[in-house]
Amino acid sequence: MRLLSLVRTQYGAAPPFAAPGAYAKRRSDIANGDNWAIVLIMGWSISDIETFLAVLDAGSISGAAARADLSKSVVSKRISDFEASLGVPLFTRHAGRITPTDSAFALAERLRPALAELIAATESVAGPEVELRGRLAIAAPMSFGIRHLGPVIAGFARAHPGLEIVLEYDDQLTDLGRSGFDVGLRIGHLKDSTLMARRLCEDPRALVASPDYLAMHGPLSDPADLPRHEVIGYLNARLGEIWPFGPGIPLPRLGRIAANNGEAMRDLAIGGLGLALLPLFIVHDALRERRLIRVLPELPQEPLPVSVVWPPVKPMPRKVRLFIDHLANAFAESPPWQDGLEAG
């Protein structure tokens, strides 16, 4: 669909700024009056915008082509034509790789809400019974996503067979807007941001050790003994930043082992290499199977919030609203992995 821009003028003929490819018609053809109007045929389409955003999200021409089931040559030509129509380079090209320019990011930030508004307008006419279509991109932490999110998303996908769903797991925080994600999952207290948020549930953290570790280093029943013990480090945060037990409880020593993933830390703790501080949703199986033992379970703590976040696009796309409601319903009850373990 080509977009038309209507420009009112006082010229008796096509004004001098009418670009090649534009055409003029009398304003009387559009409404009563003697003025002329210029209908500028812009050199881009909705497909060009969608392709541009797809390349930005995928990080490559080939990735966007694969997602859209198009040839790389078609995607590349759409991007080149879009840049030519704007007169601004959106990507730099070097050795077969493309890198978005600052203009690309700035344009995307304005195009995403505009495109969402367009989709919402068509959805409002179509009505709620019309099948969801388009693409829903979801970002989630790796351990929580792999262990607990997959079945929830599968249920949503079955309910909406016309919707393309892209799911990316990464323990690093993702800039949803710049990375092209519609929604994200966050574990922990949210930092100030422009994102909208809805809390799904809460989960306590567990300080755990293997039976072999405790047999070798002695039982841990007094918080004052914590500095005698080594803890497995988490590379994405310092222990003091995630320590949930208050300033009066001393920290264990940081050991020689560290990892950037909770499941890796769990496995290292099972191997007897130190204490580990992990969310219950990661260690619940190991606790039930007695491969890990929860130490000092009586210590009071503030649980971790589990939240869904999304960019503040107005109006909210129907696919995003329905997915958030689906998540909220899925976690409305006490999370099943907590059964029998809440008190340690």
Side-chain angles (χ1 to χ4, degrees):
M1 179 176 66
R2 294 284 155 184
L3 299 187
L4 305 181
S5 177
L6 183 63
V7 182
R8 297 182 181 179
T9 78
Q10 298 296 324
Y11 292 90
F17 58 76
Y23 65 89
K25 66 187 299 186
R26 289 199 176 275
R27 181 172 169 76
S28 57
D29 292 339
I30 302 171
N32 292 328
D34 295 325
N35 292 335
W36 281 73
I38 295 298
V39 182
L40 299 177
I41 304 180
M42 311 304 291
W44 43 263
S45 67
I46 295 296
S47 295
D48 295 334
I49 292 174
E50 292 175 333
T51 301
F52 159 65
L53 294 175
V55 171
L56 193 66
D57 296 345
S60 67
I61 296 287
S62 58
R67 288 181 181 179
D69 195 22
L70 297 171
S71 69
K72 290 191 291 184
S73 60
V74 168
V75 173
S76 182
K77 186 176 188 308
R78 285 184 182 178
I79 293 299
S80 297
D81 291 347
F82 192 39
E83 290 175 315
S85 69
L86 297 176
V88 175
L90 299 174
F91 298 94
T92 59
R93 292 139 173 101
H94 179 70
R97 299 173 63 89
I98 62 169
T99 303
T101 64
D102 289 341
S103 296
F105 287 122
L107 180 62
E109 288 180 2
R110 300 192 67 176
L111 284 178
R112 292 190 196 280
L115 195 57
E117 172 68 35
L118 181 62
I119 292 171
T122 57
E123 288 177 345
S124 67
V125 173
E129 69 282 355
V130 174
E131 183 178 288
L132 288 183
R133 295 197 176 276
R135 178 176 179 268
L136 179 68
I138 306 163
M142 186 170 295
S143 296
F144 185 83
I146 290 173
R147 297 177 67 83
H148 305 292
L149 197 57
V152 178
I153 294 177
F156 188 75
R158 285 193 299 269
H160 303 285
L163 185 66
E164 176 191 356
I165 296 178
V166 177
L167 179 59
E168 185 170 313
Y169 292 148
D170 193 334
D171 285 336
Q172 294 283 357
L173 288 183
T174 302
D175 186 328
L176 299 185
R178 285 211 159 192
S179 301
F181 288 100
D182 298 293
V183 294
L185 273 289
R186 294 283 191 267
I187 310 296
H189 295 283
L190 301 175
K191 297 180 179 180
D192 292 337
S193 75
T194 59
L195 295 176
M196 309 298 291
R198 181 172 176 178
R199 185 170 294 194
L200 300 174
C201 64
E202 294 182 334
D203 197 50
R205 279 165 284 203
L207 189 62
V208 298
S210 71
D212 289 345
Y213 176 89
L214 294 175
M216 181 178 296
H217 297 275
L220 182 50
S221 56
D222 188 338
D225 294 332
L226 280 169
R228 294 193 301 104
H229 293 266
E230 290 188 350
V231 66
I232 296 166
Y234 180 48
L235 293 176
N236 292 335
R238 293 182 298 176
L239 181 61
E241 296 173 343
I242 59 176
W243 190 245
F245 303 118
I249 306 299
L251 275 65
R253 300 194 318 271
L254 191 61
R256 63 188 178 91
I257 307 293
N260 68 345
N261 173 262
E263 290 184 303
M265 294 170 63
R266 177 204 59 199
D267 292 344
L268 292 166
I270 291 172
L273 294 172
L275 305 177
L277 178 66
L278 291 165
L280 198 59
F281 68 76
I282 292 178
V283 297
H284 63 101
D285 287 339
L287 290 172
R288 289 191 174 91
E289 296 163 0
R290 303 296 291 175
R291 292 182 294 156
L292 288 174
I293 295 173
R294 194 170 181 178
V295 299
L296 303 174
E298 72 282 356
L299 289 179
Q301 62 165 291
E302 187 176 0
L304 284 169
V306 179
S307 307
V308 57
V309 297
W310 63 95
V313 176
K314 293 184 178 179
M316 179 188 291
R318 181 166 162 252
K319 62 184 179 181
V320 174
R321 175 173 53 81
L322 291 180
F323 180 66
I324 291 171
D325 290 343
H326 179 79
L327 285 177
N329 290 333
F331 294 101
E333 305 295 332
S334 176
W337 64 83
Q338 295 180 3
D339 291 347
L341 296 176
E342 297 90 337

